[in-house]
Amino acid sequence: VKFMDILFTLSQNCPVVCILDQMSSQVEPEVLLEKVGNAGVITMNRPKVLNALNMTMIRQIYPQLKKWENDKETDVVIIKGAGGKAFCAGGDIRAVTEAGKVGDSLAEDFFREEYILNNAIGVCKKPYIALIDGITMGGGVGLSVHGRFRVATEKTMFAMPETAIGKTVRPYRVSSMVRRGGREGGGGTLVGPKIKNLGIPDLEKELLDLKSPSVDDISKVLDSFQNQSSLDSEKPFVLEKHISDIDRLFSSSSVEGIVQNLKADGSEFANKQAETLSKMSPTSLKITYRQLKEGATLSLADVLVMEYRLSQACMRGCDFYEGVRAVLVDKDQSPKWSPSTLEEVSDQMVDQCFSSLGDKDLTL
């Protein structure tokens, strides 16, 4: 936290409107930080890698966000991705994996500073609007769901695929993104493919044109765009017909119980879910199950402390490295998990992952 505070202090005396290297104009900045009228606009600018989040980006976004939060002439913060394909496809997992293999501090620093940024977004005093247009996964979820407003489009593909690479998911507010359309009470959330007809550029322009907007002013603009778009208005939520099955099949006191429910049911839907779970890291599944249970009643700050502990447990284990190898490096899609079955993952092993890291715990 001290390092991040130093960055913030430096930014007070070093205006950051756009992080550009004037001496090397051929090198595209990885993140654009611009002041447009009374709005601070963050643009993740790595379209060739689907705007994957790296440490450089985190260390540029955090101090600027804190500066805008305390700037009387900044009324709102908007974050988006460049390129039209992705908002942010997650963290730079390959770099973190390589660091973890050789004991480099990046394996600790990346997650620590990412979660500090996530918390800053969650407690930001200025309205924070994430334009989630395109692929949004992992670290991209952290940059969007914790803010006050989240806008999805017909191109939004939202996913938390961490258990497929031996990691854990983020429990806080993720469930809210499953709901279709409208605004979730108290969360200021606009969810669903509703902005196609008018377009994100039109929406962004209206938001930028607002003068000293209140939360209600922003809500009215989002509502007006939703009301004017008829895209898929008659289509039911894609999982609507399965909601009762999900509640029934996934209501169990253990992951093993869930798997048993799915296999006993025998329906096409249940079989598909059982097959999906069978490919995931057994350790990650058990950790994630407990994480979702405990995280449901925790504050964002407490969830991030828990998640940092889990991130470091993953870095100490072997499934994370094996998952990255199988899915992202060799792409054989055949990870060799260890332990290889749910029954081999003991409660004691799971407990250890949630244990305090002492003076290395995340401090917010």
Side-chain angles (χ1 to χ4, degrees):
V1 176
K2 290 183 178 179
F3 178 78
M4 302 297 278
D5 288 338
I6 291 172
L7 280 178
F8 170 52
T9 302
L10 289 173
S11 74
Q12 301 300 297
N13 300 313
C14 303
V16 184
V17 175
C18 182
I19 308 299
L20 295 172
D21 185 347
Q22 300 295 336
M23 300 302 293
S24 56
S25 58
Q26 294 181 348
V27 178
E28 282 288 321
E30 295 181 321
V31 60
L32 304 174
L33 305 169
E34 306 168 282
K35 187 71 179 297
V36 183
N38 289 332
V41 180
I42 303 167
T43 305
M44 289 168 287
N45 193 38
R46 302 180 72 203
K48 291 182 179 179
V49 290
L50 302 178
N51 298 319
L53 182 69
N54 62 24
M55 183 67 94
T56 300
M57 297 165 72
I58 293 171
R59 289 180 172 176
Q60 291 175 355
I61 294 171
Y62 176 83
Q64 187 62 63
L65 177 63
K66 299 299 291 184
K67 182 178 181 180
W68 281 334
E69 182 179 20
N70 293 286
D71 178 17
K72 293 181 179 179
E73 296 184 357
T74 301
D75 297 321
V76 63
V77 176
I78 297 173
I79 185 168
K80 60 183 180 176
K85 291 184 178 180
F87 171 74
C88 174
D92 193 347
I93 295 300
R94 288 197 184 194
V96 174
T97 303
E98 292 306 312
K101 287 179 179 178
V102 298
D104 190 285
S105 64
L106 178 65
E108 296 181 7
D109 297 342
F110 179 84
F111 292 112
R112 183 182 299 277
E113 295 185 32
E114 180 190 11
Y115 297 163
I116 290 172
L117 173 58
N118 291 166
N119 187 65
I121 291 169
V123 300
C124 184
K125 293 178 288 187
K126 300 291 175 68
Y128 181 96
I129 308 169
L131 303 181
I132 316 173
D133 187 31
I135 298 169
T136 305
M137 299 192 293
V141 174
L143 292 175
S144 57
V145 302
H146 302 307
R148 183 62 188 258
F149 296 97
R150 291 89 83 186
V151 180
T153 76
E154 82 282 0
K155 295 193 299 181
T156 300
M157 186 176 75
F158 184 89
M160 294 293 285
E162 278 83 343
T163 53
I165 57 170
K167 198 175 176 290
T168 59
V169 303
R170 179 160 305 167
Y172 192 79
R173 283 191 179 175
V174 167
S175 60
S176 72
M177 299 299 285
V178 176
R179 303 184 184 184
R180 180 187 187 277
R183 179 160 288 104
E184 181 192 9
T189 308
L190 182 66
V191 183
K194 291 289 188 178
I195 314 298
K196 180 178 181 180
N197 291 352
L198 297 176
I200 283 289
D202 295 314
L203 172 60
E204 185 177 353
K205 183 179 184 303
E206 284 211 23
L207 292 171
L208 293 175
D209 287 343
L210 291 173
K211 305 301 181 185
S212 301
S214 64
V215 168
D216 286 341
D217 293 332
I218 296 170
S219 294
K220 288 177 181 177
V221 170
L222 297 181
D223 284 337
S224 71
F225 271 72
Q226 178 170 323
N227 293 335
Q228 291 177 60
S229 175
S230 60
L231 176 66
D232 293 340
S233 60
E234 301 303 319
K235 288 186 178 180
F237 172 43
V238 67
L239 291 178
E240 188 170 325
K241 64 180 179 181
H242 298 301
I243 292 297
S244 60
D245 290 332
I246 292 172
D247 290 340
R248 174 174 55 86
L249 296 170
F250 285 83
S251 294
S252 178
S253 59
S254 68
V255 181
E256 290 94 334
I258 292 173
V259 172
Q260 289 174 3
N261 289 344
L262 293 170
K263 290 181 177 179
D265 184 79
S267 66
E268 181 181 355
F269 174 77
N271 288 340
K272 184 177 181 180
Q273 309 317 308
E275 181 183 1
T276 298
L277 291 181
S278 70
K279 298 176 181 178
M280 305 301 169
S281 159
T283 302
S284 291
L285 286 176
K286 283 204 169 182
I287 293 174
T288 297
Y289 179 83
R290 175 169 164 181
Q291 183 185 13
L292 290 170
K293 290 284 188 181
E294 295 190 4
T297 59
L298 298 178
S299 66
L300 173 59
D302 288 339
V303 162
L304 291 172
V305 170
M306 175 178 67
E307 188 166 341
Y308 181 72
R309 292 174 181 174
L310 298 178
S311 75
Q312 296 310 294
C314 289
M315 299 308 296
R316 294 193 301 269
C318 58
D319 276 5
F320 177 57
Y321 303 100
E322 174 61 9
V324 170
R325 180 206 65 75
V327 176
L328 301 177
V329 181
D330 296 340
K331 299 182 180 180
D332 56 31
Q333 309 302 321
S334 299
K336 302 297 187 291
W337 305 124
S338 180
S340 61
T341 67
L342 289 168
E343 290 71 24
E344 292 176 278
V345 182
S346 67
D347 291 342
Q348 183 179 8
M349 292 168 64
V350 175
D351 289 341
Q352 289 175 346
C353 296
F354 286 81
S355 298
S356 169
L357 298 174
D359 59 1
K360 289 190 174 183
D361 254 337
L362 179 66
T363 304
L364 298 170

